[in-house]
Structure formats: C-alpha cells, structure tokens
Amino acid sequence: MSVQYEDHSVTIFESALHQTTSTVAVTKDVIIIVDPTWLPEEIQAIQKHVNERDSGQRKYLLFTHSDFDHIIGYNAFPEAVTIASRGFAVRSGKKETIQEIKDFDDQYYIQRPYLIDYPKVDIIIDYDEQTIDIGETSVTFYLAPGHQADGVFAVINNLNVFIAGDYLSDIEFPFIHHNSEAYSRTLDKAEKIIGEKEIGLLIPGHGKATTDIKEMKDRLEDSRWYIEALRKEVSETGSYDVLQAFVDSFSFSRYLGEMHQENLQQMRKEEKKNS
C-alpha cells in the first residue's frame, strides 16, 4: 500500500481503489487509526505500521461515516476503542452495508483474515466540539452531515490535523447522498475549523492531503460553487453547460459523471419536497 504523506506523527496510506485514504496518527499517548481500508494486503500494511509504532499507547479507531469502504477494516483492529457519530451507531440499514462488503469481496474473490461486521461504537459523538483528552493529546469532533447523515470531522489539536472524511477532496466534487443544505452547513463548519484551529494538514477521505491553506480554501469554494450550481440547474435558473464543464474537468469523469447524475436526482428530490 502506498504512503502519500508521512511526518513524525502522521502517516496517510492511499489505497489503489478510489484513492481512499487511511490515516494513522501516533503520539506518546495514543494511536488513532482512521477508516482502514480496502484490500487485505493494504489493511495488513496499516496493521504492520501500527504494530511497529506501538509502545503501549491506547488505540482508537475512528470511522468518519458509514459507507462500506470506510468500515471494511473494522475487525482488523479488535483491540482499538471505536469512535463514531450517534447517527453512525444507530443508523438503519446496517445489514445492507455489510452485504455491500460481502458483495465486493465475492465479486473479486477476496478472503479476509477477520470477520466482516458493522462496527460497535464505544465512544459516541453527539455534538460539535465534543473533545477527548488523553494525556497531552486532545481530539475535537464535529458532526458533519451532508455526504451521509452520520459523518463526523476530527481535529487532532496538538498536531493541527483536520480529518475531513469524504469532504474537501481534490479528485471529487461533493457526493450528496444525504442532503445538500446539510452539506453546505458542514462546509461552513469546515471553514470555521480551518480558520480558527490553524490547521496545518487537511486529510480528505479520497485524494491528496494538503498543508496549503489556500488549497484548503479553494476546495471549500469549489464545493460551495458546485452545490449552488447544481441547485440552479435543477431550478432551471443556471447553465447546464458550465456545470457539465466543471464535472468534465475532473479525472475519472465517466464515473464522476454518474455521481453527478445521482446528485441531480438528490437535488430534484429536495426541490420537490420543498415546493
């Protein structure tokens, strides 16, 4: 599994699939493992990395949201204390999510050395700025609905690291599986975090991390523009050509074009509901 970023505390692994990131942050107090995924060999590389840096710290396993690709490595770290949002813990459709993992493994003849199961959550995030302090390490959480209903942001305060889940990617525009207005409010929250927390490293769930504040802000504004353009397109007050050109500017535009069509369907559902 490739490593896309590494410093003295943080290692970001990048899967061969969807450029999905799995992050390991190590301090003298804790090891925080975020969304370990996809393939067995990739998850084994994360396990090896954790074991090599284990000097008795408490291990925490953070799930940024409940998409199956982000929970697929759950039972590879049975000793870790799990963290996720209340929505993640109580959501309906857990069996369907597990079936997605099993279908994926069946399709590609994948055998895993651990059981597939929906994560049981030990520490539930209920509100913005909920903070966990372990020794000198402090982690602050924020609810982040929009992509999914059960998303969560995390900021490792003493490292100035912002774990953004499936937001603020350089290779994806917003995928709105839950609600566009909630997504926009979550972007506002991300802007506040970047401004007030003096973020030095932004880690999206897919694509490249960045240490550049301007790049972080550009990703915010691109996401906002896309949602607003999508809304205008659906209400027939905007230009389809401009929006389509934006979608086509991304790599992997065939797949992203399908996601764009799903966003349009989601926005039409919202428009109909609000009319």
Side-chain angles (χ1 to χ4, degrees), residues 1-4 6 11-16 22-24 26 31 33 36-53 73 76-77 112-114:
M1 189 178 195
S2 65
V3 173
Q4 75 157 248
E6 189 164 28
T11 302
I12 304 173
F13 295 90
E14 181 180 308
S15 173
S22 299
T23 298
V24 178
V26 179
I31 298 177
I33 308 151
T37 199
W38 266 88
L39 302 172
E41 293 81 2
E42 294 176 331
I43 293 172
Q44 286 167 4
I46 299 169
Q47 289 174 311
K48 181 174 183 290
H49 178 83
V50 169
N51 290 337
E52 289 172 347
R53 283 150 183 79
F77 300 91
R112 299 181 185 273
Y114 55 84

Side-chain angles (χ1 to χ4, degrees), residues 42-45 52 54-55 58 92 131 147 150 168 175 178 198-200 204 216 222 232 239 246 249 258 265 268:
E42 294 176 331
I43 293 172
Q44 286 167 4
E52 289 172 347
D54 184 0
S55 57
R58 189 74 177 271
S92 60
T131 301
H147 169 63
D150 55 16
L168 304 180
F175 290 1
H178 170 52
E198 299 182 352
I199 298 302
M216 298 178 200
D222 284 350
K232 288 179 178 178
S239 168
F246 177 77
S249 71
E258 294 173 3
Q265 292 176 18
R268 291 186 185 107

Side-chain angles (χ1 to χ4, degrees), residues 166 169-176 183 222-223 226 246-248 250 253 255-261 263:
D166 278 8
S169 171
D170 64 328
I171 58 166
E172 295 176 347
F173 46 76
F175 290 1
I176 310 168
Y183 202 117
D222 284 350
S223 295
Y226 174 77
F246 177 77
V247 172
D248 290 343
F250 286 79
S253 58
Y255 170 70
L256 290 179
E258 294 173 3
M259 296 300 101
H260 175 59
Q261 291 303 314
N263 284 342

